[in-house]
Amino acid sequence: MQIMDGKKVAAEIKDEIAREVDQIKNSGGKIPHLAAILVGNDPPSETYVAGKVRVCEEVGFKSTLVRFTDDISEERLIEAVRDLNKNPDVDGFIVQLPLPEHISEPNIIESIDPHKDVDGFHPVNIGRMVLGLPSFVSATPAGIIELIRRYDIPTAGRSCLVIGRSNIVGRPLSNLLSLKRYPGNATVTLAHSKTTNLPGLILESDIIIAALGSPEFITGEMIKEGAVVIDVGITRVKSDFTKSGYKLIGDVKFDEVAPKCSFITPVPGGVGPMTIISLLRNTLLASKSKRFG
Ligand code: NAD
């Protein structure tokens, strides 16, 4: 059994990006610039955005945080998005979700220039991804695909079960893993809350990607020997044994499942660190090529 160490791989990629930014600086090129729009002061959103800005600075990117109070109108927010679309210094930007209820998330996402949509949420990027064309792929699926690539895990012809069909994780992953390229060419099944016989599907699968958000849902007896298990789930639970007072639990009962696997990701330290790195990779890509293809 080999652990897919997302923390280590993410640190390697971060170094690669920092070196590339150094080269850009030394040759007098334009420093990649990521902007983020944050509406309101939802604590998890504050934490995520602060983390994204910090990592940008660590690799030498320029970053800008644009903040609005949660009573901003949809029209005003769309105006702010259009300003970033037009700003030639900003290579890519994100609008941190969720947005207040009076604002339509699809309307905001569709107002982003797809060439600056480094979160990969715009329908143009999703459509291009499904067709296997150059596009920005959202951070968590992109991070998982990169982790599979870095561990050289065979995917062609293998049965792959993705559990969870959200637009930001499960659904894009199921598309990516069925594309006619590596990592891909897998025979993909997308399971969700209406799926019947989930245990039977899990037991048959060579690769299982758990993105349902149900702590320790997958147990040792559910998987076959030699399976690859990628645990996307993160649930925060109270703990008396950590300084912060909480710990993160994945969708997989790691101690039982790991001994049966060929490869497995831990939680924390698996998929999580790869997610933020993918946003940096997308921003670097945006700064290098202003147009797809
Ligand atoms: P979501 O709630 O939008 O989607 C969950 C999906 O799981 C749904 O499609 C639902 O149908 C399916 N599901 C729920 N219970 C099920 C069951 N018993 N059987 C089969 N399917 C079931 O969640 P999401 O945004 O995709 O996130 C999923 C998990 O991944 C969460 O724990 C989230 O915190 C985590 N996550 C982690 C990262 C990361 O960077 N590691 C990024 C995004 C999400």
Side-chain angles (χ1 to χ4, degrees):
M1 182 273 296
Q2 195 178 346
I3 290 189
M4 297 166 80
D5 188 343
K7 202 172 162 190
K8 180 169 146 261
V9 173
E12 285 165 10
I13 298 174
K14 205 169 143 189
D15 282 349
E16 290 164 17
I17 296 174
R19 276 199 297 275
E20 199 165 333
V21 175
D22 261 352
Q23 281 167 8
I24 294 171
K25 274 186 191 162
N26 294 339
S27 60
K30 182 189 171 302
I31 310 289
H33 182 178
L34 175 73
I37 295 182
L38 177 60
V39 178
N41 44 16
D42 168 52
S45 294
E46 294 251 7
T47 310
Y48 295 143
V49 170
K52 289 167 188 174
V53 169
R54 179 174 43 77
V55 177
C56 275
E57 282 160 8
E58 284 168 5
V59 295
F61 283 6
K62 195 169 160 188
S63 67
T64 301
L65 178 58
V66 184
R67 295 197 69 146
F68 295 103
T69 51
D70 56 13
D71 57 356
I72 185 174
S73 69
E74 186 172 309
E75 293 69 32
R76 176 69 193 94
L77 189 56
I78 290 179
E79 226 179 275
V81 166
R82 295 207 172 119
D83 285 345
L84 291 177
N85 285 343
K86 281 187 288 191
N87 185 337
D89 194 57
V90 172
D91 297 299
F93 65 96
I94 60 164
V95 179
Q96 184 64 43
L97 304 179
L99 293 170
E101 265 178 25
H102 67 279
I103 297 176
S104 151
E105 288 183 358
N107 287 352
I108 300 302
I109 290 169
E110 285 183 43
S111 65
I112 298 174
D113 176 351
H115 298 96
K116 292 193 175 189
D117 169 39
V118 286
D119 253 344
F121 292 162
H122 192 287
V124 165
N125 276 310
I126 294 171
R128 292 182 65 94
M129 175 200 70
V130 170
L131 295 170
L133 296 170
S135 63
F136 292 118
V137 174
S138 58
T140 304
I144 292 168
I145 291 292
E146 189 57 23
L147 204 53
I148 290 174
R149 194 197 313 275
R150 299 242 170 178
Y151 279 89
D152 217 6
I153 291 172
T155 53
R158 301 184 87 189
S159 54
C160 175
L161 177 68
V162 179
I163 314 173
R165 61 177 161 186
S166 74
N167 288 341
I168 59 162
V169 186
R171 194 178 298 281
L173 259 176
S174 68
N175 279 293
L176 290 164
L177 286 162
S178 66
L179 284 177
K180 211 170 172 180
R181 65 183 184 211
Y182 179 77
N185 283 315
T187 305
V188 181
T189 303
L190 180 57
H192 45 76
S193 52
K194 299 283 188 284
T195 298
T196 53
N197 189 28
L198 187 57
L201 292 170
I202 297 173
L203 197 58
E204 279 170 8
S205 300
D206 301 318
I207 300 171
I208 298 138
I209 302 185
L212 64 158
S214 180
E216 299 190 331
F217 179 88
I218 296 179
T219 56
E221 79 279 359
M222 291 168 95
I223 67 151
K224 71 174 174 189
E225 285 290 337
V228 174
V229 174
I230 296 180
D231 189 356
V232 189
I234 299 177
T235 305
R236 225 179 218 235
V237 296
K238 285 208 162 96
S239 167
D240 296 333
F241 303 104
T242 60
K243 235 182 7 192
S244 59
Y246 68 85
K247 62 177 181 172
L248 302 179
I249 308 268
D251 286 348
V252 174
K253 203 162 193 173
F254 186 86
D255 293 347
E256 279 182 29
V257 173
K260 291 180 83 176
C261 291
S262 53
F263 291 91
I264 186 166
T265 60
V267 173
V271 172
M274 294 298 292
T275 295
I276 200 154
I277 287 300
S278 301
L279 181 66
L280 295 184
R281 278 163 60 98
N282 279 350
T283 306
L284 186 60
L285 188 71
S287 78
K288 289 199 284 195
S289 55
K290 296 290 175 205
R291 286 282 172 262
F292 296 126

